[in-house]
Amino acid sequence: MQKRKLLIVDDEWLITDSLSSLEEWSDRNIEVIGTASNGREALAWLDKTEVDLVITDIRMPDMDGLELLRQIHQRSSQIDVIIISGYEEFAYAKTALSYQAKGYILKPIDTDELFATVDQLVPQPQEPVEEMPKTYHETIVERAISYISANLGRPISLKDVADQVHLTSHYFGQIFKSVIGDTFVNHLTRLRMERACELLKNTELKQYEVGYQIGYTDPKYFAKVFLQSYGVTPKEYRQRLCSPAQPIEQKKRR
């Protein structure tokens, strides 16, 4: 079966890079033939090669996605176009539909939604599997958590982890919260506090040393975060372990 040819158009290179590298394209017999940063570059691709499917952002310099969609609509009815946008505006969606766009997907892109739209255009027989494969977002977050676990002993920022998975901080933060159900900062703090409890319980490390072990260079700040999390100081926590009067549970951060 001949592969369908896909062109991805977005002025954010991280988006085009992330989308073009997805393994799910080959599963659907789709070949990513290239990327473009605006509508004019995309039209240049269409002039020199056959394209079956275009995924394009709306807001781009020089020529935006709606103008690109209009020109594709005038050129050929054989090219399917899916719009992606960071803006949930009815006027955009209405214009896109008037030029027969096949889908309108909001950023941050949910790849399950994207491929559900693609599958409606290019249905492919799928072999049954025992487990559902991980989504793109779940894979990203899994890699991020592995990095966090391996580097819990040093200061880690959202940007540090976003750089590791080759996404912008804002985009990665949204993906992380959508998969985990909590913010990056809250999740990182919870992991650190859980590790602090283990160290206070099972080692003779001093309070400031425990803080260093989990990435806090300021002992006072470590004690403050611990108090906010458990309602007791690290010293009081260790004392209660010797003669526990009541269980100590980590508070849910907001």
Side-chain angles (χ1 to χ4, degrees):
M1 181 184 298
Q2 184 177 2
K3 285 182 176 290
R4 286 174 59 88
K5 300 184 184 303
L6 165 64
L7 177 66
I8 300 173
V9 190
D10 197 306
D11 61 328
E12 296 183 59
W13 70 267
L14 284 173
I15 300 294
T16 56
D17 186 60
S18 297
L19 287 179
S20 61
S21 63
L22 294 177
E23 295 180 356
E24 287 89 341
W25 298 125
S26 60
D27 294 339
R28 289 162 172 78
N29 203 38
I30 295 174
E31 176 188 1
V32 180
I33 60 165
T35 63
S37 61
N38 58 53
R40 293 197 184 280
E41 289 185 14
L43 290 177
W45 271 100
L46 298 180
D47 286 337
K48 67 183 181 181
T49 188
E50 179 182 341
V51 176
D52 302 297
L53 174 62
V54 173
I55 296 176
T56 180
D57 190 17
I58 284 186
R59 291 198 175 183
M60 298 179 294
D62 200 11
M63 180 188 290
D64 66 18
L66 291 179
E67 177 59 20
L68 171 62
L69 175 60
R70 186 185 70 81
Q71 294 207 28
I72 290 176
H73 179 66
Q74 289 180 342
R75 287 180 175 215
S76 171
S77 61
Q78 303 302 313
I79 300 176
D80 293 325
V81 180
I82 297 174
I83 294 290
I84 56 176
S85 174
Y87 303 90
E88 190 173 8
E89 296 185 18
F90 176 73
Y92 284 158
K94 183 178 179 181
T95 302
L97 290 174
S98 72
Y99 291 123
Q100 297 175 5
K102 303 302 183 182
Y104 190 95
I105 297 172
L106 293 176
K107 294 180 178 179
I109 300 167
D110 183 331
T111 53
D112 289 341
E113 180 185 1
L114 172 61
F115 285 114
T117 302
V118 171
D119 287 344
Q120 291 178 358
L121 304 175
V122 194
Q124 295 292 326
Q126 300 290 322
E127 294 182 4
V129 292
E130 293 183 2
E131 293 184 8
M132 290 295 290
K134 289 185 176 68
T135 67
Y136 172 65
H137 287 181
E138 289 171 340
T139 301
I140 288 290
V141 171
E142 186 177 82
R143 287 169 53 197
I145 291 177
S146 294
Y147 177 79
I148 293 169
S149 299
N151 293 274
L152 203 60
R154 70 176 187 83
I156 305 173
S157 69
L158 175 66
K159 185 179 185 304
D160 292 334
V161 184
D163 288 344
Q164 289 296 314
V165 295
H166 309 296
L167 295 174
T168 64
S169 298
H170 178 70
Y171 188 38
F172 167 69
Q174 290 181 312
I175 289 175
F176 191 92
K177 186 173 183 179
S178 71
V179 173
I180 296 298
D182 203 356
T183 66
F184 170 82
V185 172
N186 284 351
H187 187 76
L188 175 60
T189 300
R190 183 163 54 252
L191 292 178
R192 283 175 164 165
M193 292 301 100
E194 289 171 356
R195 179 59 177 155
C197 289
E198 292 177 8
L199 293 172
L200 289 168
K201 180 179 180 180
N202 299 315
T203 74
E204 299 297 325
L205 292 174
K206 296 179 180 178
Q207 177 177 313
Y208 75 89
E209 293 174 323
V210 170
Y212 289 157
Q213 288 284 324
I214 58 171
Y216 289 101
T217 57
D218 184 345
K220 291 183 178 178
Y221 183 66
F222 161 59
K224 178 182 177 181
V225 175
F226 194 95
L227 177 62
Q228 290 174 339
S229 298
Y230 293 104
V232 295
T233 66
K235 181 179 180 181
E236 290 170 337
Y237 179 87
R238 183 171 264 167
Q239 289 172 341
R240 289 195 185 187
L241 290 174
C242 298
S243 55
Q246 59 184 10
I248 302 173
E249 296 182 356
Q250 188 171 170
K251 298 177 181 178
K252 186 174 182 180
R253 302 181 67 85
R254 296 181 178 179

